[in-house]
Amino acid sequence: MRVLVLNGPNLNLLGSREPEIYGSESLDDIEAVLRDRAEQLGIELDFLQSNHEGALIDAIHEHGDWDGVILNPGALTHTSIALADALSATGLPAIEVPLSNVHAREPFRRHSYISPVVWGQIAGFGFRGYRAALHLLHQRWTERQAEGGSESGA
Ligand code: DQA
């Protein structure tokens, strides 16, 4: 199984950026936690962060032989129809993982263009959300394999 993990603008600042909201873990810490868990589950990870919307879209278009996507688009969550369209076009199961509980913050953070095209959202659990998403995608993939079916649709 192979999973793409995408991180959007300003997430390269994790650790020093408003730690009371986003936690004290850096993006490298999050990647290390995920790689560790991925190895235990036999999952190959592609992990990417960009501050540029187009770079994130290009990465999705590359559409390696991924079986799922975990993404935290940062503020692009609330603005990017283009990113949502790119994700939707893959037909892959994806999980949106905002670190903070966006529903308990400013009203503009409650709306996500991404949510309608993903399997689900895990919000407010910090880096643990990424780890939970990896488990959920793995579980789904394992179930589909057992059914002998192929993956399609979010
Ligand atoms: C975020 C929430 C967004 O509203 C914000 O713009 C971010 C981080 C989160 O992980 O909680 O950059 O995606």
Side-chain angles (χ1 to χ4, degrees):
M1 180 184 193
R2 201 167 154 206
V3 170
L4 171 67
V5 186
L6 274 186
N7 295 281
N10 301 309
L11 295 174
N12 53 315
L13 301 178
L14 286 179
S16 60
R17 175 191 181 200
E18 299 173 277
E20 65 287 0
I21 297 177
Y22 298 117
S24 54
E25 296 77 20
S26 67
L27 196 59
D28 283 350
D29 294 338
I30 294 177
E31 180 174 358
V33 164
L34 270 195
R35 288 207 180 276
D36 191 50
R37 192 54 58 95
E39 200 182 315
Q40 291 169 21
L41 295 170
I43 298 172
E44 230 184 287
L45 276 194
D46 285 336
F47 195 97
L48 181 94
Q49 186 275 332
S50 177
N51 292 320
H52 305 280
E53 184 177 18
L56 296 167
I57 292 169
D58 285 345
I60 292 172
H61 285 179
E62 277 173 28
H63 202 297
D65 47 351
W66 299 307
D67 302 292
V69 181
I70 296 170
L71 81 167
N72 180 358
L76 293 173
T77 304
H78 319 298
T79 62
S80 183
I81 297 170
L83 190 58
D85 280 351
L87 192 60
S88 181
T90 68
L92 290 171
I95 302 182
E96 187 187 4
V97 291
L99 294 147
S100 63
N101 180 0
V102 282
H103 305 286
R105 299 182 62 196
E106 303 96 318
F108 68 83
R109 294 189 203 275
R110 286 184 204 145
H111 178 261
S112 166
Y113 281 106
I114 307 301
S115 292
V117 301
V118 295
W119 183 26
Q121 185 199 58
I122 302 171
F125 295 95
F127 74 93
R128 298 170 196 83
Y130 287 69
R131 201 169 51 192
L134 193 66
H135 275 280
L136 287 164
L137 286 173
H138 181 255
Q139 199 175 7
R140 176 179 171 140
W141 182 81
T142 307
E143 285 166 6
R144 300 285 155 112
Q145 295 292 306
E147 288 163 10
S150 64
E151 189 62 84
S152 73

